Amino acid sequence: GFQNYVVNGFVFTLMEDLQGNIWFGTWGQGIGYLNKKTGVIEQYNNTPERMMGLSSDKIQSVYRDSKGYLWVGTKGGGLNVALIDDVIARRGRFTVFRHQPQNARSLSYNDVYDIREDLNGNIWIATGRGLNKLVIPEGITRSKALADGSAVFEVIREREGLPGGLVYTIRTDANGHLWLGTNNGLGRFSFQDS
């Protein structure tokens, strides 16, 4: 049968971390996780201190990458990232990446629908204006670029072959291709063809 857990807000997205915690993103109440071992729910919402710098409480995606980072995609607030262990311990704050109209290397749009890591360790972000690839500047470590916000983005749009400009979902297959669900159908991005 069912076992129900009461959390604040409508749950829009789920993800399990390596410790077995079930992370959730809500509409209007931020993020949180359920510790499956203890049944305790921890939420990051309501006040700036409790949200740890999360740019919006409207969460559309949560993702954990292979390096231990928690990525949070929001409605209108852009992309947030922090080490998952720091979030659990409530240390530090999220680094926020937002669209900046005068910066072509910024996130292309502040509505982030999905986040995925490919087989080569690249981070891809589905937004309301194209597919974004995280780019770490030359001579900077990934951890530094994510901590200080110096990472930039390469944007793939319809003119580069994306079937639709609004990318809702990203998946990778066993061959390393990216599969994209867009407002104009399904697309496959192959690194060999690019």
Side-chain angles (χ1 to χ4, degrees):
F2 280 100
Q3 186 164 359
N4 297 318
Y5 299 91
V6 177
V7 300
N8 293 326
F10 299 115
V11 176
F12 269 54
T13 183
L14 296 168
M15 181 262 320
E16 185 172 12
D17 69 20
L18 293 177
Q19 292 77 36
N21 296 315
I22 302 296
W23 288 83
F24 55 89
T26 70
W27 193 259
Q29 290 293 321
I31 63 169
Y33 69 90
L34 164 71
N35 181 319
K36 289 193 306 188
K37 294 176 190 128
T38 65
V40 173
I41 293 172
E42 187 69 36
Q43 280 197 259
Y44 300 79
N45 60 1
N46 296 331
T47 67
E49 298 80 33
R50 287 187 51 79
M51 288 183 65
M52 296 180 58
L54 200 60
S55 62
S56 172
D57 61 3
K58 293 177 177 67
I59 311 303
Q60 300 187 128
S61 57
V62 290
Y63 185 74
R64 187 202 59 82
D65 72 14
S66 65
K67 308 279 191 220
Y69 285 91
L70 177 66
W71 298 82
V72 181
T74 69
K75 172 72 175 169
L79 179 67
N80 299 256
V81 62
L83 283 167
I84 198 164
D85 290 341
D86 288 349
V87 177
I88 290 170
R90 291 191 179 272
R91 286 189 303 258
R93 296 174 64 76
F94 282 95
T95 300
V96 179
F97 294 96
R98 288 189 175 98
H99 175 66
Q100 301 162 7
Q102 283 72 38
N103 181 357
R105 304 284 285 164
S106 71
L107 189 69
S108 65
Y109 201 63
N110 288 329
D111 291 352
V112 174
Y113 296 101
D114 202 5
I115 304 149
R116 281 291 163 228
E117 183 174 15
D118 68 23
L119 298 178
N120 298 318
N122 296 307
I123 300 294
W124 297 89
I125 300 101
T127 76
R129 286 198 191 132
L131 178 67
N132 290 240
K133 177 184 176 188
L134 180 79
V135 177
I136 304 302
E138 217 39 57
I140 298 177
T141 65
R142 181 172 174 168
S143 60
K144 180 173 177 4
L146 294 179
D148 69 12
S150 61
V152 295
F153 299 87
E154 177 184 322
V155 182
I156 299 168
R157 294 188 168 90
E158 290 170 286
R159 65 178 169 254
E160 286 87 30
L162 196 61
L166 200 159
V167 182
Y168 289 109
T169 187
I170 309 168
R171 293 296 179 268
T172 56
D173 67 17
N175 297 318
H177 300 121
L178 290 181
W179 289 90
L180 309 166
T182 76
N183 62 317
N184 197 29
L186 181 66
R188 186 189 82 170
F189 182 70
S190 173
F191 300 102
Q192 296 88 326
D193 300 339
S194 62

